[in-house]
Amino acid sequence: RRDAAEEALRQLLHALAGAEGYDAALRHVDSLLVLEHGTYLVTGLLFWWCVWQDSPHRLSSAARAAYAFGAFVLSAPLGLVLALVPEPLYDAYADAPDRVWGLSRLTDQQLGGMTMAAEQSVVFFVVFAYWFLRFLEEQERVEEDVSQP
């Protein structure tokens, strides 16, 4: 019974981490992998566009801060899953020989997950802090304008 539960959890984590698509992309480097990375680039540009650009419509500083915070909350689990699972999720890692510097497949995946989680934390915190501080400054200016006769 425990083996069935562990296998069900493994399959769930495998699906959540997008392992099937990633493994397929690694088997088709000249097509699917290029498409996958192009999709990442376009998605990233579209994501950050509304944080830094005022067209087609301007978001308030508070909305931009909330957007960055929400994006962090939604993206953080992937890096944490990769860092904390007890076995390699991707078939490419499960079947690969040991990595450079003698790292095991699992250690390589966990370091990748920790790196992803740390990078996301720093970037999203800096962006959130920037827009949140701008929001606070804007609120101070509004209060000053209201208090002046």
Side-chain angles (χ1 to χ4, degrees):
R1 179 126 176 128
R2 181 181 169 139
D3 290 338
E6 286 178 1
E7 182 59 24
L9 179 61
R10 184 187 180 313
Q11 292 299 321
L12 175 64
L13 291 173
H14 195 77
L16 289 175
E20 294 300 326
Y22 181 72
D23 289 339
L26 289 178
R27 288 190 299 273
H28 303 283
V29 175
D30 293 332
S31 58
L32 288 179
L33 190 62
V34 171
L35 177 65
E36 178 184 62
H37 287 166
T39 302
Y40 293 153
L41 177 65
V42 170
T43 303
L45 290 172
L46 291 173
F47 170 82
W48 288 108
W49 183 268
C50 64
V51 173
W52 298 109
Q53 297 297 317
D54 290 335
S55 61
H57 59 304
R58 186 180 188 288
L59 294 176
S60 68
S61 295
R64 293 176 198 220
Y67 182 82
F69 180 77
F72 168 70
V73 169
L74 293 173
S75 66
L78 179 58
L80 295 174
V81 164
L82 291 173
L84 298 174
V85 294
E87 63 184 66
L89 290 177
Y90 297 103
D91 290 339
Y93 286 104
D95 299 331
D98 283 345
R99 302 275 184 222
V100 178
W101 301 309
L103 297 175
S104 71
R105 296 175 300 274
L106 179 59
T107 301
D108 181 57
Q109 175 182 294
Q110 290 172 332
L111 285 172
M114 287 186 289
T115 302
M116 182 186 296
E119 175 270 331
Q120 288 175 343
S121 297
V122 170
V123 169
F124 281 121
F125 177 77
V126 167
V127 172
F128 167 78
Y130 173 80
W131 288 110
F132 187 72
L133 291 174
R134 280 203 44 182
F135 164 71
L136 293 177
E137 289 173 5
E138 291 167 3
Q139 293 304 304
E140 284 181 14
R141 278 194 297 258
V142 168
E143 289 177 9
E144 287 173 4
D145 291 344
V146 169
S147 66
Q148 291 179 357

